[in-house]
Amino acid sequence: MSAISYSDVNADILRTLERPKPAYFLLLIGFVTAFAIGVISWAIQIDVGLGLSGISHPIGWGFYITNFVFWIGIGHAGTLISAVFFLTRAPWRAPVYRAAEAMTVFAVMTAGLFPLIHIGRVWYGYWLIPYPNQRMLWTNFKSPLMWDVFAVTTYLTISVTFFMLGLIPDLASMRDSARGIRKFLYSSLALGWNYSYQQWLHYARGYLILAAFAAPLVFSVHSIVSWDFAMAMIPGWHTTIFAPYFVAGAIFSGLAMVITIMVPLRVVFDLKKYVTDHVLQSLARVILFTSFIVGYSYCTEFFIAYYSGVNFERAIFYFRPFGEPGSGLPFYPEGQMGFAQIAFFIMFFCNVISPLPLWRWKVRNNAIALFIISILINIGMWFERFNIVVSSLSHDFNPTLWGTYIPTPVECGITLGSFGFFFTMFLLFTRAMPTLAIAEVKEMLTPPYRQANHDHVPWREYATERSEDKD
Amino acid sequence: MADGIRRRDLFKVIAAGGATTAAIAACADKPEKLIPYLLPPENIEFVPGMPLDYATTCMECPANCGMVVKTREARAIKAEGNPDHPINQGALCMRGQASVQTHYNPARLQTSMQRDGETWKQIPWDAAETAFANAIKAVGNKSQIVYMTGNASGTRGGFLDKWLSAMGASPKLVLDPLGQHNIKAANQLTFRRAEIPQYRIDQATLLVNFGAEFLETWLNPVENNRLYTTMHAYDDATKRKGRFVQVGPHVALTGANADHWIKAKPGSEPLIVLALAREVLSRTHGRAVGADRDRLTSYLEPYTLERAATESGAEAEALRKLADDFAKAEPGLALAGGNLVATTEGTQFQIAVNLLNYVAGNVGRTVLFGASRQIDLSSSHAEVEAVVKRMQAGEVKLLIVDGANPLYHLPASSQIAGALDKVPTIISLSSAWDETTSKAHLVLPGATFLERWGDAFPQRGVYSLVQPVMATYYPDVKAAEDTLLSVSAKLGDATFKATPTYRDYLRQAWQQVQKEVGASGDFEAFWRTSLQKGGVFRTVSFSSSVRLNPDALSGKPGVAKIAGEGLVLLPTVSLRHRDGRGASNPWLQEICDPVSQVVWGSWADINPVTAKKMGIAHGDMLRVKSPMGEVELPAYLHYGVHEDAIAIPMGEGHTHSGRNADGYGINVLDLLPNAADPQSGEFAYLTTRVQVERTGKPGYLVQLDHSPRQLGRGIIQTQTVEQARAGENTEEHDPEEMKHGHPYFDFYPLREDQTPGYHHTYRWGMTIDTERCTGCSACVAACYAENNLAIVGKTRVGLGREMPWLTIERFIEGEGDSFKALMQPMLCQQCGNAGCEPVCPVYATYHNQEGLNAQIYNRCVGTRYCSNNCPYKVRRFNWFNYEWEAPLNMQLNPDVTVRSKGVMEKCTFCVQRIARARRTANGEGRDLRDGEVTPACVQTCPTKALTFGNLADPNSAVSKKAMRGRNEQDKRVRQYEVFPSLKQHPAITYLRKVTFEPINQEA
Amino acid sequence: MRKPFKGLWASFPYLDDAATVAAKLQQDGSDYSVLSPCPRHELYEAMGRPTSRLPWITLVFGALGIFFGYGFPSWTALDWVLPVSQKPIVGIPAFTIIGFELMVLLGGISTALSVVLLGHFELFRHKLPHSPAFKAYNRFSNDRFGIVVRCEEGDAAAMEQLMRQYSAEEVVREF
């Protein structure tokens, strides 16, 4: 990177905000349409009733909760990269973290919709907020769903704050070079940033602290989401490994999504010299690692189910891969396969098998290969959540009230819509904000020295420890 | 619901209700006065908001159980058994429970109409009656007037005869496809008593049943259920348990309750019966038969056990053992009846059964004559057929149908359709649309039995009254009897001058009753008290000593000859629709058949072995062909049917009975030849074989159960008699607990006293004795009626969206002929440590002071987390806004919220009843007494399998049954909770089923 | 604003120069500010590692969050007791999650706000020039380092001389 100078960075990144190619608008139209489909489907569902979705008795949660967990999972990579890797000082973080963080914000926004979509009376959704009311009716803080409400809102708020804070210096430099409405917009968002050390001082410290806050949040949020399931007593849900299992899965899918986004992004905006292959392959390494945690968790589940000796547990983990127990009745066919089994095998292939090529350096450094694998992983992780949510519910304690899941157009439409929403937001973001963190990329660069020799540090001989700010 | 009531109707109903109730009997004519509801009504008896009960008699089937109908604001909302009535003693079957839906049937005829071409033209009532009168005038030869009715109970029969003779018409026909003529004829021949005896099932120690579905529809199922459990259920006090053996080709609900099923070829029962008789005779040395011994011995000579075994395919060993037991039984009882023994030699078979009972000495002990039971008043098929022939010959000019539906209830092969076309004028007095009425020319809608007067004499000493519990729901509707009276008046006939209305006629008749029962005092008082009680009930003693009639020993019954190719067709009776008259009740359609768990439509029971041979899979669409016709229906693989047979229940396949009945299933009568038993004239059901083939299409078979196996999860637990008698508690054998080998510990032990506001004075609980539960499903219907449960229809049930709070779960244990179908009610367990409560984010469900899992509908936002976390899966979610097709909405219980879409709902032990009772108690400044509150399901249970009460009170009946270990001496033997390993601490304790042979429940 | 800005500002193309100047100014204790496109440790050292009070604010609000996180659910639970399935009315384990989330929430938001506010408070004490020239100069956000010195007109010459010595690109006096 040493070839790049400070002014290049500004130039390169400002370039990304110029008038885009028509392809951009085509893409945008596509996603907006998808979003519209989702909105219409939801409207119909609200009007007619939840019966329009495939959810039924005993399978009380279906696509919607699956999507919720999926998007929350996606929403993990951003904060992971921007906070955790900031604390660990990962050198390849700077170029990807802005886009990743934007992704996080939008993913969590998308996820936040689904609890509302899935409840029976969305028009009373606000009852989930503990607001003071005349009857002094409060919410049940013992309910995992209540924890969810707090975890997700906190996560959204913090990641937005973190995102905006990181943006401030860049917005300021946008401001300095923009004109017209944009100038007004940026300068109002930049909150009077002027690059003076009075500000940098607190900024650096504040950013560090915020990172320190966000880091545990990354792990807590998905743990809490996992407790929605682990706190219930349904076999297949009621497991202690759920928290780490979910967090690993979340990071896994999140990073995959980062790659899915960064690979085209760096081509379109021609940012190869910042988002280098090295950056991508570092992401790939983490993916490989998390993929192993996930795979390990799958096996653990099966082992524990067997080892516990609880036949409810055994039954569900027999059902997932092998289908109906049958138990020798001609009118109850054994091993009858269904949606649950398909989901299981897709999940296993995509999450455990498909990342294996990443062992090879060649594959890790091949953007195309990475892109394909990342897509597979995204699919796989969606089905993992489906597998957890649906197949566990479909075969729980009372065999006579078991059920099967049949997806419907409406819920597929809403799912499609969620992707539409997410990508629409992201496209708009790439137009409005710098997709790379200008200031932080500069930090990575070698600063302009007059003496080429960097060991020559003239200020050292004058430098004095300041006792305390004196007026 | 509000939009369901038209203002004027409401006023009419109230006013009429007022009149009905003012003096309990005053429903002579419609009141003119409208009472504005805003002002407190003066001349009406009821207080708005308070229920008012009327005692009446159920007319859903000829059994005529006593009934108490609860009305609110003068509309009937709930039917319950009349506790004073000696026959059903407060219980009702599911059809009785659903009678309110018959009353509010959307397919009810609303006004008088006249056919005009293909369409119907509404005409004023008076005009209609005139048209009726003219139609009678028009008929030259009055004997060409035929009257078909579905009901001739009590005084009604005599009244119709009188009216018809006054008109000069030919005698009435009473249509009921499920007649008991074989029995009556056989008894006439054997004992010179042409009557249905009283079967003292409760007295027997061994019950052998040949085809009589006595727990479903045969004679009086409610009474039978009670008597049967008295005999069969394990009694914890006396440790006694009777044995019940089912012999025959098919196992339905009744057979599923049997301890042992002896599979026999269709129609081979006579041989078995006679062989048993022979064995018993030889074992008892004719102790019972005295002089008849030699004659009987010689008569029974050819019927050896071996022959019976070979020809019937039953194992000789089983038969021999049965013979031993039957000879030893003190006393035993052999029951026979129903369609599967109604062959062309049905009477001969019944004679054989009589012999068996006779030689075993049961006659006079468990088979009592002299009760003169009027359970079957129907005309025999022969009589009906004769009339049909006359119609075809064009000798019937005027046909009056009144609650009779020949077009549906007679087999197509009897050419009834063509016959009806030959009748120039058909007048229908039925209350709802049906196949025959749709062919009528003039319709004068009749009233349902909740709107009219009547009575029934089910057996000697029981005089049961029918009174209107509300005004006719539709203004232009009139009780058939009253229509007839005014018509005869129009014709200037003087017969009924004294009695212008049927009520008057009835009162006249009851003056006779008063004399019979020897009630002194003036008639008004007698009449009024009878109305209040629902009738007059006397225990009368009668001699039942009978002698065997030697001529009875003439016949040579053998295996019934069954014509045709393929599998024997077994047209079974439907528990839910009986002969099909209940098919338009949505409840009866949506409540599953307990054994097959099928809803909305027919199915064909076929043995898995046969199915395998023919390559038929469960749910395949079959084409069933007989010489008479062919039908298509889905296959249902069922161990409980003979390999050589296919069983199809009656009652479905309507075409003009309203949208709740039409198009569901098929009518099995279309396949049957038009044959009858020559001796009794009874229609012969078991006469034909059918060719069965796959259509290749998948059948649309909707079942409530997913897995028929309980996979060793101990949901329905059983123990052997020995274990029970030894007081051995099999709780330790709970598969869950043993696997771990270490005792559980609770993170949250029951701290009912420490947690504030917990179980204060009451902890409502229930015990369910699976030993007493026969799976009759009356409780399910009661629950639907009491709690405004929604009907969702076939497709949605297929998607798992059914809404019952209480279901009869059925699990199959074992395989092949030795399979067992275990049934038990599953409802909200009101857990003390419920999984549903802590997960609700908005406290929509929580644990209330009295230990109920309260469900607050208007706080629920519908996350469905509670349902997910309920191990019993008894919570139901409102996926849509469900509608009650008018006027079914009039039945809704005002005490219970009608849930809107997006809300979770569940059983709360009929909390509205608890609240009402508590209000009364508080008024009297006391706590609730034990037994003061009874949920709908408990109230209607014919076998008292359910006990409800306060677990916090150690002396309450439920505590005594549940033995929650509150006091030391509690020794649990049969008590268990479902899924103890989950530590939900359910408030419902189940009592194990006690079996003679151990049932292997391993996964 | 107590007094208008008096002094001069300079822009440097090179980091080491800017750092040295800053160090010198720091040494003889003159009132100055440094501007740079991104935070650099060289400048930080040169300025003698100034500290920020920000963490204290975070601490206070974080603690507040924890307090509310336990307090609020406990109060609502006791305000009207609704027992759910034998669980303790005040369920500490359950409320821990709320406590944690609120700590993060309040702590985080307060941090972000104080970053902005503290920065502006400092600017009240150590002013930057208001001159159009300074405002128009937008390269500090791009690739230039800046030093602003607040001094009396008398010292201006010496200051400018110092800047020039370390190859300041341009030096502007504002009095």
Side-chain angles (χ1 to χ4, degrees), chain A residues 45-62 64 118-125 127-128 131 133 137-146 227-234 237 308-312 314-316 324-332 393 395-404 406 408, chain B residues 597 608 618 636-639 704-713 715 735-736 739-740 798-802 807 809-812 814-815 826 833-843 856-865 867-881 900-903 979 981-982 984 1003:
Chain A
Q45 175 180 293
I46 291 172
D47 178 36
V48 179
L50 260 178
L52 289 183
S53 72
I55 310 166
S56 80
H57 190 84
I59 306 169
W61 290 351
Y64 301 142
H118 106 288
I119 63 174
R121 301 204 291 177
V122 60
W123 49 94
Y124 289 134
W127 285 357
L128 291 165
Y131 63 98
N133 51 37
L137 266 172
W138 298 105
T139 54
N140 176 7
F141 290 97
K142 289 162 211 135
S143 163
L145 290 186
M146 212 54 225
W227 292 336
D228 284 352
F229 305 103
M231 287 287 155
M233 63 182 119
I234 302 300
W237 283 9
S308 68
V310 180
N311 69 1
F312 303 128
R314 286 180 171 181
I316 182 62
E324 300 290 352
S327 52
L329 287 176
F331 39 89
Y332 181 37
L393 281 174
H395 279 52
D396 69 340
F397 296 99
N398 194 345
T400 192
L401 288 170
W402 285 351
T404 44
I406 306 153
T408 63
Chain B
Q597 297 275 313
H618 189 73
Y636 187 101
L637 269 54
H638 180 40
Y639 286 128
L704 288 198
D705 69 325
H706 183 98
S707 158
R709 288 285 201 217
Q710 55 175 328
L711 307 165
R713 296 183 175 193
I715 296 166
E736 278 319 285
K739 286 238 178 55
H740 305 289
L799 293 169
R801 304 242 168 96
E802 71 274 10
T807 48
E809 292 192 340
R810 188 272 281 117
F811 288 111
I812 288 175
E815 283 165 47
M826 177 55 73
N833 193 353
C836 54
E837 289 164 358
V839 298
C840 177
V842 293
Y843 281 126
I856 305 158
Y857 302 129
N858 52 6
R859 176 65 172 171
C860 177
V861 295
T863 65
R864 299 184 300 289
Y865 200 171
S867 168
N868 287 353
N869 207 25
C870 171
Y872 310 93
K873 286 282 173 287
V874 287
R875 292 173 152 263
R876 302 290 173 178
F877 185 71
N878 285 268
W879 302 98
F880 302 96
N881 270 328
S900 67
K901 88 181 159 204
V903 171
F979 302 144
S981 58
L982 300 177
Q984 300 292 289

Side-chain angles (χ1 to χ4, degrees), chain C residues 99-154:
Chain C
F100 169 78
E101 294 296 340
L102 285 188
M103 173 195 77
V104 173
L105 188 62
L106 295 193
I109 292 174
S110 61
T111 313
L113 288 181
S114 34
V115 164
V116 176
L117 295 180
L118 287 179
H120 284 284
F121 288 149
E122 295 277 340
L123 285 174
F124 281 128
R125 292 211 256 106
H126 315 286
K127 294 219 168 325
L128 294 185
H130 302 298
S131 67
F134 182 81
K135 286 209 167 59
Y137 188 86
N138 64 2
R139 293 189 67 178
F140 294 129
S141 69
N142 188 344
D143 57 353
R144 286 292 181 270
F145 302 88
I147 301 244
V148 176
V149 190
R150 284 162 289 273
C151 62
E152 292 312 313
E153 208 152 2

Side-chain angles (χ1 to χ4, degrees), chain B residues 262-282:
Chain B
I262 297 179
K263 189 170 67 177
K265 270 213 198 66
S268 67
E269 288 93 339
L271 290 176
I272 297 177
V273 172
L274 290 170
L276 287 176
R278 184 169 180 276
E279 294 294 314
V280 171
L281 189 64
S282 62

